[in-house]
Amino acid sequence: MNDTPARLLRLLSLLQTPREWPGSELAERLGVTDRTVRRDVDRLRELGYPVTATLGAMGGYRLGAGAAMPPLLVEDDEAVAIAVGLRAAAGAGVAGIEEASVRALAKVEQVLPAKLRRRVRVLATALIPPTGRGPAADPDVLTTLAATVTNRERVRFAYRDEAGAETRRNAEPVGLVPARRRWYLVGYDLDRAGWRVYRVDRIDRIDRPQPTAARFTPRPLPSADAAAYVAGRRTDWGSPTFRLRLTIHAPADLVAGRLGENPGEVVAIDAGTCRIDTLRDDAPEWLTHRLLELGADFQVHEPPELIAHLRAIADRAGRAIGANPPPRADA
């Protein structure tokens, strides 16, 4: 390979496979001499790739961990796998990495060829299960909005409010914030001349957000940052508040953190029992999912909506195993 840049990329691709590469094997793969391999390894080191070398008959070259993250070179199938995984993390709201997943997904999908982008969408549709954590945000919508935030580019989209009425919005987006198992876009609404918090799951998935290519200089937010602004606009979250009262037959330290972010919500009754009495705004479906995941007995005292949902789940489970046969049509 006489094309030095192409040869370096090929060498980098080989070294990113987690194994030790003898210099002679690399030379054979690249169609060059051992001396050229050594020079190319030195060039990669100058670019910040930590290529280590060991001597001896069993020695060779290996790409190690460095002080900073260097650019990665991936094959087509690896790029698809990365994008599908990031979509799963973005859609499922994995605690602590939601925002980073969306940023990384926007970068990966920006450079994917059209055929690979189609493969990612087909796989994501088939493989990502519903999370039961409330309305899900479309990863395509998230990545489009993330790109407009990064590029400081105005965006137009169709938005559905809490009553179901649809309006057209023209906004200057400044941040995407994950909170309470939902995604929120913070932006300055140009038509309404004010800051708004938009729930991403209410942005039309069919008539997708349209970047306008019009750049803007961000206006000063009323809060320290987008996350603080969302936290201060609780009325925009669109979930009713109710009293949650539970008795759970499990130690408090095993329950804390699994039904809420506030550790003060779980109060120990004794060594093997605890209670929760607090105001919440979670969906009954999400609470049911989390309670059943505890693997412990529990009693729900309030709210009635959660009790009704649990009864419906119990009836459905009973019918599934033949314990509760469905009522006869002629009964």
Side-chain angles (χ1 to χ4, degrees), residues 229-260:
Y229 188 69
V230 170
R233 294 295 299 271
R234 184 168 184 156
T235 55
D236 288 346
W237 292 4
S239 297
T241 299
F242 58 85
R243 178 165 294 281
L244 176 66
R245 292 178 57 239
L246 302 169
T247 299
I248 303 173
H249 299 282
D253 59 344
L254 296 183
V255 175
R258 299 180 65 182
L259 294 176

Side-chain angles (χ1 to χ4, degrees), residues 96-144:
I97 65 169
E98 306 99 324
E99 188 177 352
S101 298
V102 171
R103 290 200 312 269
L105 181 58
K107 293 177 181 178
V108 171
E109 292 206 342
Q110 181 179 355
V111 298
L112 282 180
K115 65 176 184 178
L116 295 185
R117 195 175 296 118
R118 285 193 295 270
R119 284 177 58 189
V120 168
R121 288 174 180 167
V122 169
L123 283 171
T125 300
L127 298 178
I128 298 176
T131 64
R133 296 189 174 191
D138 189 324
D140 283 336
V141 173
L142 280 171
T143 51
T144 299

